[in-house]
Amino acid sequence: MGRLGVLLLALFALMAVGSFLPPLIDPMYHPMTGVDPEITRATPPSWRHWLGTDFIGRDLLSQLLAGARVAFMVGISAAFVSVVIGTALGLVAGYAGRWTDTVLMRLADMIMVMPTLLVVLMMAVFFGQLSIWSIVLMIALFRWPGVSRVIRSRTLTLKHRPFIEAARIAGASHLRILIVHLLPNVLPLALLYMTFRVTSAIIIEAALAFLGFGDPGTVSWGMMLQWVWKTGHMSQAPCWLLPPGICISLLTLSFYLLGRAMDEVLDPRLRKEKGVG
Amino acid sequence: MTLFRYILRRLAEIIVIFLIIQTVLFFLFHLAPGDPVARMVDPNMAPEEETALIREWGLDQPLGTQYLYFLRNFYSGRFGVSFHYGAPVAEIIGHRLPNTVLLFTTAVVLSALVGVRVGKYVAWQKHSHVDMVVTMAALVCHTLFLPWIAMLILWFFAFKVGWFPVTGMISPELWSNPASGGLMKALDVLHHMALPLLTLFLIHFGSFLLVMRGSMRDVLTEDFIFTARAKGLPERVIRDRHAAPNAALPVVTYVGLSMAFSINGGALTETVFSWPGIGRELVFAVSNNDYPLALGCFLLIAWVVLMANLIIDTLYACLDPRICY
Amino acid sequence: MNPAESNSEHEAPAIALDYLRRVYRGGGWSDLSADKVVALNNVTLSIPRNCIFGLVGESGSGKSTLARLIVRLEQPDRGAIRINGEDIARVCGRPLKRFRRRVQMIFQDPYQSLNPYHSVRRIVEEPLVIHRLAPGGRRRSKIIDTLAMVGIQPPEAYLCRYPHQLSGGQRQRVAIARAMVLDPDILVADEPTSMLDASISAQIFHLLADIQQRHRMTLLFITHSLAAAHYLCDTIAVMYRGHIVESGPARTVIGNPKHPYTQALLDALPKFGQHGREHRFDTLRELELAASFTHGCIFYSRCRRAQAHLCAHRAPKRISFGQGHSAACFFAADASNASR
Ligand SMILES: Nc1ncnc2c1ncn2[C@@H]1O[C@H](COP(=O)(O)OP(=O)(O)O)[C@@H](O)[C@H]1O
Ligand code: SF4
Ligand SMILES: [Mg+2]
């Protein structure tokens, strides 16, 4: 299972790297601005366009490749930021205890129950068109609570271990204990959660783009689906519909499989604390 | 602490959280770039209406006073006037809410019933082919990208074979015809609901199945199952009477945890199938810069989410004898 | 420094505890009436310099709590802890950090007391880094010397190992090295061998005794076994439910115990090659009395020698027998006579 996930991921990574290639071959293969001069409508696959073209004659394969790049970028950076925030807050909450813990965890509960997609939509109301990086930031800002809950409960079990107390007796400051002693112990868990966060970030970005609130300057898979939908090509061009959807679902699946495999390697008792969504 | 006191405490907490959410939204509303008055007042409004609205919301007052106006209006049921519909937000929400509740609860209940049952069954058939296939299928369902599967379903059932209507919730000609009876209308709604229901069902079913299967597996390793086996009880009794009730608890937790996730999914499904619910209305309002409507829909969703979590936690407390608050 | 002061400091005991009290409150902080555990009650003790001091008691008697207070992992609810004459019960900041250099501790469970993600080198180096000691090239040689001293041979081969690659005994040696690398004046060892095999335990005993000799420091050795204390310690104190019930030179206390609880502990020791004298003192009740511990002697409910009119109502004062030997029992003075 885990190996399948890694294999799929490698494939997607290859796609992301390959996305730089088509525009070099011919400017008409540019995913965003390249238009085939002879085509002005959606076409099925051909030798010229392996996956066909969209409604104004842009190449779908190069869009798909560019979408892989965006998905990785969004997924990994949003996951990274949210895991950094979640780990930092979880460590502090667990280690400090008392009211720091209470306040942070109440905040986490509050954010955790909110549907992130709709929250980011609300932000679009206030801030207008969101750029891809602000989308990444928003996803990160609203997806940390799951991580911090897990890291906190791990920290709670660690903080009374003798090796932490030995560090205190040796004179280590709180900051040093957090960074030098606790952090390495929760890092594998944080890494595991990063794989889950990658998935949810990709899905949220894709859904956002599908609803028409993506960054208009990037081609993402969600955006491709939106073009099918908005331009009314649903009934006419099913072959346009398949590739981006399959890619999103498979990428999600591969990160999920990877996470599950890592999960089993790590402490199996932690399975129950896994966040969802 | 008794359950009753626990519920009271949680209710108080929810009220505070809701106030915080409102406050954050209010300040975002006013501090975000752009003119806050323009966000509340429809540019196409008549001048006298406009002044009335400005007075009602205190838009010419200092920020603190506006905040109080905002709270007062909210708690007296005035959520503003939608730009797009030109009608009070409360009225629109009142129309949309039942549709969402109908679709969403049907889907969740149905998929929970089926998912839990099948999960229970396959957990018992550990490592058999059935288990493998079903689990893999559930995994795929769990990871499907919702708008995509919704569009596929729409394409196949509505466009390709044409069994189901493409959009909406009702057929206007049927409903405007005075001759059509209640049963006809109900069937019409069901006919429209089939595809969005199928979408939501597929998405939730896989997750319920996986959670139930996993938690059954955990339960199966526990002592009381061995005891039951040692007593010579039939496998079916062990499965349904001993293992399943214990394994159901994580499913309840899961419903709470995945609430946010399924509400996102609900909004997406409603949008794809043009189901006139709250989620689609929110997406719609955001696209049209219809601020009052967006705010109203969002606050309603937030409130529902918070209350649903309270209900789930209470349910959990009732089901699990080990927990005492 | 003026000579008189340094002189007086020289005379101060390594550790002096004054009416130390520590209460653990169960349940929430909001509920003050929640059940509380008095882990230590009015513990008064003086531990001289350059000796091995044994603290003996059954599990749950508060030994670890006492250790945690002395190394300042926790603070007492009441009382003073004087280390070399200086009260450290409530210090913080810079003085606390200075204190940390002088008092170190070894934990019971060597499997839990080393950070699994740190190499041996890093574990032993950590205190030096924190206190900015032995900078540059001297640091490595200091680490190697310390490892060699605790019997990790050859030290270089172990520098890059991780705790899971070490045996229990080796782990405990590394833990001792981590404590000794700061050259502390006081080392607290909380049941350092209770998780180890008997033969490894003996090696660790020897190591601790040897280190104490060579470094001329104070070793507070905590154990639940009178035999171990007898073997290793110069002076011992016996603890029961948060109270020191008897203390004095090891040979005197074990050879001529005065408190019924100490006597019960001695009875409980396995004796080889002795017949017929299984219970020399026989001070333990078969059935515990249900008694409240608010007023009377702490040992009352289990004491066979108890006299209800006296022991149930008043706590006995310590009675001294000279040479620092004392016991807290109304009948301590005639205890040995009674048993013969
Ligand atoms: N953190 C704590 N919270 C509550 N009670 C505690 C805590 N630590 C110790 N105790 C209680 O204090 C008493 C003394 O414990 P301890 O010092 O560990 O004894 P020992 O080390 O002699 O076995 C015990 O009754 C124990 O239950
Ligand atoms: S004072 Fe009384 S109860 Fe306490 S130990 Fe002595 S004889 Fe026993
Ligand atoms: Mg102990």
Side-chain angles (χ1 to χ4, degrees):
Chain A
M1 294 278 261
R3 223 170 289 156
L4 181 68
V6 172
L7 200 78
L8 280 170
L9 276 184
L11 208 71
F12 281 114
L14 211 66
M15 280 176 68
V17 174
S19 70
F20 293 102
L21 220 56
L24 295 180
I25 296 171
D26 191 319
M28 79 172 177
Y29 289 126
H30 191 283
M32 206 64 191
T33 56
V35 178
D36 191 325
E38 290 157 34
I39 298 175
T40 52
R41 59 189 177 82
T43 57
S46 61
W47 276 116
R48 213 171 142 98
H49 302 285
W50 292 356
L51 290 178
T53 61
D54 73 356
F55 63 109
I56 48 172
R58 293 180 295 189
D59 183 54
L60 285 184
L61 179 61
S62 48
Q63 286 187 352
L64 199 71
L65 296 182
R69 193 176 65 213
V70 172
F72 266 102
M73 202 176 79
V74 167
I76 291 176
S77 46
F80 181 75
V81 178
S82 67
V83 166
V84 166
I85 298 173
T87 305
L89 293 184
L91 274 176
V92 169
Y95 183 69
R98 296 164 196 256
W99 63 266
T100 317
D101 186 28
T102 313
V103 168
L104 283 177
M105 285 306 114
R106 280 283 162 273
L107 185 68
D109 283 345
M110 190 169 104
I111 294 177
M112 186 143 67
V113 297
M114 289 296 137
T116 311
L117 176 66
L118 302 186
V119 171
V120 180
L121 268 186
M122 256 344 255
M123 295 298 137
V125 171
F126 298 124
F127 298 106
Q129 191 66 59
L130 299 171
S131 77
I132 193 78
W133 291 116
S134 48
I135 291 174
V136 164
L137 192 70
M138 300 252 180
I139 295 175
L141 282 181
F142 288 103
R143 296 309 301 164
W144 61 264
V147 185
S148 72
R149 279 224 154 268
V150 178
I151 298 293
R152 168 184 173 269
S153 67
R154 189 53 185 267
T155 308
L156 284 181
T157 69
L158 285 170
K159 88 170 170 186
H160 291 298
R161 294 266 179 92
F163 73 84
I164 297 297
E165 300 192 324
R168 277 180 63 197
I169 293 173
S173 61
H174 293 309
L175 194 65
R176 187 177 178 87
I177 288 175
L178 280 173
I179 293 173
V180 176
H181 294 274
L182 285 171
L183 186 61
N185 280 279
V186 301
L187 218 50
L189 200 60
L191 212 65
L192 167 67
Y193 272 77
M194 209 171 126
T195 64
F196 292 120
R197 284 293 157 269
V198 170
T199 326
S200 77
I202 289 175
I203 291 182
I204 291 169
E205 194 277 335
L208 210 59
F210 169 75
L211 291 175
F213 302 97
D215 186 334
T218 57
V219 189
S220 77
W221 292 331
M223 199 84 87
M224 290 174 72
L225 286 178
Q226 201 233 349
W227 285 328
V228 188
W229 193 53
K230 272 284 156 70
T231 57
H233 279 75
M234 278 276 310
S235 51
Q236 298 138 35
C239 55
W240 183 6
L241 188 60
L242 288 180
I246 292 176
C247 282
I248 298 174
S249 299
L250 275 186
L251 187 58
T252 314
L253 183 68
S254 52
F255 271 112
Y256 184 79
L257 290 179
L258 183 73
R260 285 283 284 253
M262 280 169 70
D263 197 5
E264 265 155 42
V265 173
L266 290 170
D267 194 346
R269 273 169 303 159
L270 294 166
R271 250 181 311 163
K272 292 192 183 111
E273 298 163 9
K274 188 159 57 212
V276 182
Chain B
M1 212 202 296
T2 63
L3 191 61
F4 181 66
R5 272 180 64 190
Y6 167 73
I7 292 175
L8 276 188
R9 202 194 73 204
R10 284 289 308 266
L11 259 176
E13 243 175 60
I14 284 177
I15 289 168
V16 171
I17 290 175
F18 193 72
L19 256 172
I20 292 174
I21 293 175
Q22 264 186 322
T23 309
V24 169
L25 282 174
F26 174 83
F27 282 101
L28 274 179
F29 196 87
H30 284 269
L31 299 179
D35 179 16
V37 177
R39 289 209 187 89
M40 273 320 278
V41 181
D42 190 345
N44 307 325
M45 226 172 228
E48 58 271 22
E49 266 186 289
E50 191 179 319
T51 37
L53 207 63
I54 288 181
R55 184 134 13 86
E56 186 182 343
W57 291 85
L59 292 178
D60 47 359
Q61 308 278 327
L63 203 62
T65 322
Q66 277 192 44
Y67 178 59
L68 295 180
Y69 269 83
F70 173 78
L71 288 186
R72 185 203 65 188
N73 284 343
F74 183 86
Y75 287 107
S76 47
R78 280 171 290 179
F79 308 116
V81 175
S82 158
F83 297 177
H84 181 75
Y85 296 96
V89 169
E91 199 175 291
I92 300 167
I93 290 180
H95 284 140
R96 302 288 181 259
L97 188 59
N99 305 341
T100 295
V101 171
L102 175 68
L103 175 64
F104 195 74
T105 42
T106 317
V108 171
V109 169
L110 216 60
S111 50
L113 285 180
V114 178
V116 164
R117 254 154 219 255
V118 179
K120 186 173 83 176
Y121 177 74
V122 294
W124 215 255
Q125 317 261 313
K126 213 164 163 179
H127 302 310
S128 69
H129 290 295
V130 179
D131 181 31
M132 275 278 291
V133 171
V134 171
T135 306
M136 214 48 212
L139 211 61
V140 170
C141 284
H142 178 70
T143 52
L144 281 177
F145 184 52
L146 195 145
W148 179 63
I149 191 68
M151 281 163 82
L152 276 188
I153 286 175
L154 189 60
W155 169 75
F156 185 77
F157 289 104
F159 289 118
K160 188 88 195 217
V161 298
W163 291 346
F164 294 97
V166 177
T167 58
M169 186 175 166
I170 52 172
S171 321
E173 26 346 312
L174 186 108
W175 282 64
S176 54
N177 183 354
S180 46
L183 184 68
M184 288 275 282
K185 288 182 179 174
L187 282 178
D188 184 47
V189 170
L190 262 184
H191 194 208
H192 280 83
M193 194 163 90
L195 294 187
L197 195 61
L198 176 64
T199 309
L200 283 176
F201 177 80
L202 275 183
I203 294 291
H204 287 101
F205 160 78
S207 334
F208 277 118
L209 192 153
L210 290 176
V211 174
M212 184 63 185
R213 177 175 167 273
S215 103
M216 267 304 253
R217 286 277 180 88
D218 287 349
V219 169
L220 285 186
T221 62
E222 286 188 19
D223 288 341
F224 64 89
I225 297 294
F226 287 115
T227 317
R229 284 236 165 85
K231 276 194 282 185
L233 294 175
E235 285 288 294
R236 246 193 45 150
V237 174
I238 299 175
R239 187 184 76 193
D240 295 349
R241 291 277 158 74
H242 293 247
N246 287 286
L249 280 174
V251 179
V252 176
T253 325
Y254 173 79
V255 174
L257 279 176
S258 65
M259 172 74 65
F261 177 72
S262 23
I263 284 189
N264 287 340
L268 288 167
T269 312
E270 286 181 3
T271 309
V272 174
F273 292 98
S274 306
W275 184 265
I278 294 287
R280 174 166 169 270
E281 212 56 73
L282 174 60
V283 173
F284 216 61
V286 173
S287 316
N288 292 330
N289 285 335
D290 192 341
Y291 300 104
L293 186 56
L295 201 65
C297 290
F298 185 81
L299 285 176
L300 177 78
I301 290 172
W303 181 250
V304 168
V305 167
L306 291 174
M307 289 311 285
N309 266 285
L310 170 60
I311 292 172
I312 285 163
D313 287 350
T314 312
L315 201 65
Y316 194 89
C318 295
L319 284 178
D320 191 347
R322 282 167 301 187
I323 287 189
C324 54
Y325 290 99
Chain C
M1 201 187 287
N2 93 50
E5 198 180 306
S6 80
N7 192 33
S8 78
E9 201 180 291
H10 190 75
E11 278 164 16
I15 305 173
L17 309 177
D18 268 344
Y19 296 98
L20 213 52
R21 183 179 164 87
R22 179 78 176 98
V23 179
Y24 289 113
R25 288 179 182 85
W29 47 268
S30 55
D31 202 352
L32 287 175
S33 67
D35 44 356
K36 44 182 195 176
V37 180
V38 183
L40 292 178
N41 197 4
N42 292 340
V43 169
T44 301
L45 202 60
S46 174
I47 300 175
R49 298 184 180 202
N50 299 336
C51 78
I52 303 185
F53 190 94
L55 186 64
V56 190
E58 63 190 14
S59 105
S61 55
K63 308 182 297 293
S64 295
T65 307
L66 191 67
R68 295 168 62 82
L69 288 178
I70 290 173
V71 299
R72 258 305 293 275
L73 275 175
E74 287 173 25
Q75 285 180 289
D77 293 307
R78 212 173 56 204
I81 305 168
R82 271 184 270 279
I83 303 292
N84 296 340
E86 181 195 352
D87 187 358
I88 55 92
R90 274 154 207 96
V91 294
C92 55
R94 225 170 256 283
L96 178 62
K97 195 163 176 183
R98 239 182 296 125
F99 156 79
R100 294 277 186 222
R101 271 181 66 176
R102 300 199 317 230
V103 181
Q104 286 294 307
M105 178 162 170
I106 303 165
F107 291 88
Q108 185 171 5
D109 184 355
Y111 294 88
Q112 299 264 332
S113 65
L114 305 179
N115 192 332
Y117 288 88
H118 285 185
S119 64
V120 168
R121 184 204 168 115
R122 198 144 171 226
I123 290 168
V124 182
E125 188 181 18
E126 172 83 357
L128 297 177
V129 176
I130 291 168
H131 293 283
R132 302 206 177 83
L133 297 173
R138 283 197 293 135
R139 193 167 279 174
R140 187 183 150 89
S141 61
K142 174 84 187 167
I143 294 167
I144 287 181
D145 291 350
T146 313
L147 283 173
M149 178 190 76
V150 300
I152 298 278
Q153 288 296 350
E156 290 87 356
Y158 284 85
L159 285 181
C160 294
R161 293 225 191 162
Y162 284 83
H164 68 267
Q165 296 165 319
L166 305 176
S167 71
Q170 284 172 332
R171 287 179 199 220
Q172 202 58 297
R173 285 173 196 269
V174 171
I176 295 172
R178 170 180 57 196
M180 289 310 297
V181 78
L182 286 175
D183 297 316
D185 307 337
I186 296 169
L187 182 64
V188 180
D190 186 2
E191 306 200 35
T193 62
S194 64
M195 311 286 276
L196 303 173
D197 298 342
S199 63
I200 311 275
S201 294
Q203 291 174 11
I204 299 286
F205 286 161
H206 280 297
L207 177 63
L208 285 173
D210 180 48
I211 288 176
Q212 189 273 332
Q213 277 288 310
R214 272 205 271 161
H215 289 255
R216 304 185 51 71
M217 59 168 189
T218 305
L219 174 63
L220 173 55
F221 181 78
I222 295 175
T223 176
H224 57 260
S225 147
L226 260 184
H230 179 56
Y231 170 76
L232 201 63
C233 303
D234 311 317
T235 316
I236 62 176
V238 179
M239 227 176 149
Y240 182 74
R241 293 211 185 169
H243 292 251
I244 303 285
V245 292
E246 181 160 6
S247 64
R251 211 173 309 147
T252 330
V253 171
I254 287 164
N256 188 14
K258 299 291 187 187
H259 196 278
Y261 177 64
T262 316
Q263 295 169 348
L265 281 179
L266 274 170
D267 276 347
L269 281 181
K271 293 170 205 67
F272 299 103
Q274 285 187 22
H275 304 283
R277 283 180 63 189
E278 267 186 66
H279 291 289
R280 189 153 68 110
F281 302 100
D282 205 15
T283 53
L284 216 52
R285 261 180 212 282
E286 243 101 88
L287 288 172
E288 279 190 37
L289 290 180
S292 72
F293 293 98
T294 38
H295 298 301
C297 171
I298 197 77
F299 193 52
Y300 174 66
S301 65
R302 286 167 73 185
C303 183
R304 193 182 278 269
R305 205 171 289 153
Q307 304 274 318
H309 65 277
L310 206 56
C311 310
H313 302 293
R314 274 195 300 135
K317 292 240 157 39
R318 277 213 225 175
I319 301 174
S320 179
F321 304 93
Q323 292 175 306
H325 187 188
S326 66
C329 170
F330 291 117
F331 309 108
D334 45 64
S336 50
N337 300 336
S339 73
R340 293 285 144 80

